[in-house]
Amino acid sequence: EAAMKHSYKEFKEKYDVQLNEQQEKALRKTEGATLLLAVPGSGKTTVIINRVGYMIYCKSIKPKNILTLTFTLAAAEEMSARFVKKFSYTEKDCPKFATIHSFCVSVINKCISSPHLCGDEVIKKLQLEPNNERIIRSICVKECSEYPTDALIKDVAQKITFAKNSMLSPLEIQRIKVSGVKFDTIFDKYEQHKKDNNLMDFDDQLSLAYTYLQKYPRVLEHYQNKFKYLGIDEAQDTSFIQHKIIQLLASRDNNIFMVGDEDQSIYAFRSAFPKALLTFKQTYRDAEVLYMETNYRSCSEI
């Protein structure tokens, strides 16, 4: 539950919060839609963690109503550990820091375990296929004139991820070129194999969660009631479908704090969608853009 309300001055003193003016402005913006554009080394993680603490201790927001999503499991675990240490929380009571994939798994599992939220429709449980290259290889062996190389299999797997994360139409998938194979044929056979064998891959976790959140209003409402405040880290590496999922979650309360730097996006090949940062003001109502421009990590020559 939310702690007793502190003043900001008390909060800073009690938890040794030392921030510059731009960091402080970002930390204290808790309501509405905010995009924080931050250069490397500007203290993004520090601001995210202290901002969550500020929300709890100064704004009396319940920890269970705060969800912070990030790109990698390592980043989520690091943020959670830093929060627990700084604010003397137990891991059990800590606000949630998670990857988008793990959040999507929770949506899928909720739909399976709570059919009443899905209009009493029974949602089939699928097995996760962690090694999709094995399936792709077996399909390519049949479809290729020559035995497929490891490089070809990796290329096909990467482009399948790109297609699904970018939510490409069948026509757009037809336009994807891979040397030596007809990509759309491989794609269709790959999807059919999973369907026939009750399998899903990591990308399907996103697709299924998005479908369920859209299709079942009570599922979306469940998560909007649970997580009224959303924080998004490394937003420049978030894919198009991930941004669409985040949009759905934020569509009611509009309390979203997105942190990133479009100049740092290095995952375009995995369908990262940094354009979402450039169109943030069009996507979210009454949105504000803040900046953190001081790099504390590099020396002056850099």
Side-chain angles (χ1 to χ4, degrees):
E1 294 302 298
M4 187 179 73
K5 209 167 182 178
H6 292 65
S7 72
Y8 182 53
K9 184 170 180 289
E10 288 169 335
F11 171 73
K12 283 202 297 184
E13 286 172 0
K14 182 172 182 179
Y15 296 107
D16 190 28
V17 176
Q18 298 177 31
L19 303 173
N20 68 28
E21 196 176 318
Q22 287 185 322
Q23 291 170 333
E24 203 160 80
K25 188 175 181 183
L27 175 140
R28 299 188 74 175
K29 182 78 167 58
T30 58
E31 306 295 317
T34 306
L35 172 64
L36 177 61
L37 293 175
V39 302
S42 57
K44 293 190 290 284
T45 306
T46 298
V47 167
I48 289 168
I49 290 164
N50 283 296
R51 180 177 174 274
V52 172
Y54 172 77
M55 290 165 77
I56 295 166
Y57 289 102
C58 298
K59 294 292 181 178
S60 295
I61 295 166
K62 293 174 181 175
K64 66 183 181 184
N65 291 147
I66 303 168
L67 172 64
T68 304
L69 296 173
T70 188
F71 190 60
T72 65
L73 181 59
E77 288 175 346
E78 185 205 345
M79 283 199 283
S80 182
R82 282 178 62 175
F83 183 89
V84 164
K85 186 177 179 184
K86 176 143 196 166
F87 294 104
S88 304
Y89 260 69
T90 63
E91 285 188 29
K92 179 175 157 288
D93 299 322
C94 181
K96 194 157 187 64
F97 296 90
T99 63
I100 298 182
H101 276 86
S102 67
F103 169 75
C104 287
V105 170
S106 75
V107 172
I108 294 166
N109 289 338
K110 173 58 77 174
C111 291
I112 292 167
S113 65
S114 308
H116 65 282
L117 294 178
C118 307
D120 292 326
E121 192 176 321
V122 176
I123 304 298
K124 189 191 291 183
K125 185 174 173 63
L126 303 174
Q127 284 293 113
L128 178 65
E129 172 51 73
N131 182 13
N132 64 346
E133 290 186 11
R134 181 183 61 81
I135 301 169
I136 293 165
R137 185 180 298 280
S138 68
I139 296 167
C140 286
V141 165
K142 294 172 188 166
E143 296 295 323
C144 296
S145 53
E146 296 177 13
Y147 191 81
T149 63
D150 289 349
L152 175 73
I153 301 302
K154 281 201 180 329
D155 192 20
V156 171
Q158 208 171 79
K159 286 187 165 73
I160 287 173
T161 287
F162 178 84
K164 293 171 82 166
N165 273 265
S166 302
M167 302 175 77
L168 299 187
S169 67
L171 191 61
E172 288 169 319
I173 289 169
Q174 277 179 30
R175 295 189 190 125
I176 293 178
K177 300 283 183 263
V178 176
S179 178
V181 296
K182 200 164 181 306
F183 176 76
D184 60 320
T185 302
I186 305 289
F187 183 91
D188 290 343
K189 286 183 181 294
Y190 173 70
E191 292 298 295
Q192 192 60 50
H193 174 89
K194 286 184 299 167
K195 192 175 178 183
D196 293 344
N197 293 277
N198 288 330
L199 296 172
M200 66 175 174
D201 62 18
F202 286 110
D203 301 312
D204 295 326
Q205 293 174 340
L206 303 171
S207 308
L208 285 170
Y210 179 67
T211 299
Y212 296 158
L213 289 168
Q214 267 208 315
K215 187 176 178 183
Y216 306 118
R218 290 181 68 190
V219 175
L220 178 59
E221 186 183 22
H222 168 82
Y223 284 99
Q224 287 175 331
N225 289 338
K226 186 174 183 177
F227 299 121
K228 295 174 183 175
Y229 293 85
L230 293 176
I232 314 299
D233 183 30
E234 303 290 8
Q236 74 280 352
D237 295 327
T238 304
S239 71
F240 182 68
I241 193 169
Q242 290 169 346
H243 277 292
K244 298 301 281 185
I245 290 165
I246 290 160
Q247 254 178 274
L248 280 175
L249 293 174
S251 60
R252 187 183 73 184
D253 295 332
N254 201 43
N255 291 324
I256 179 162
F257 183 73
M258 188 175 283
V259 183
D261 177 0
E262 74 275 22
D263 292 334
Q264 280 191 70
S265 183
I266 57 169
Y267 289 106
F269 68 93
R270 280 211 314 236
S271 75
F273 191 68
K275 188 182 173 189
L277 279 65
L278 304 176
T279 57
F280 187 84
K281 279 195 161 184
Q282 288 80 56
T283 304
Y284 296 96
R285 61 188 182 272
D286 304 319
E288 185 176 354
V289 179
L290 302 178
Y291 298 89
M292 292 198 322
E293 297 161 300
T294 306
N295 179 350
Y296 293 101
R297 191 183 300 151
S298 306
C299 59
S300 56
E301 289 82 1
I302 294 172

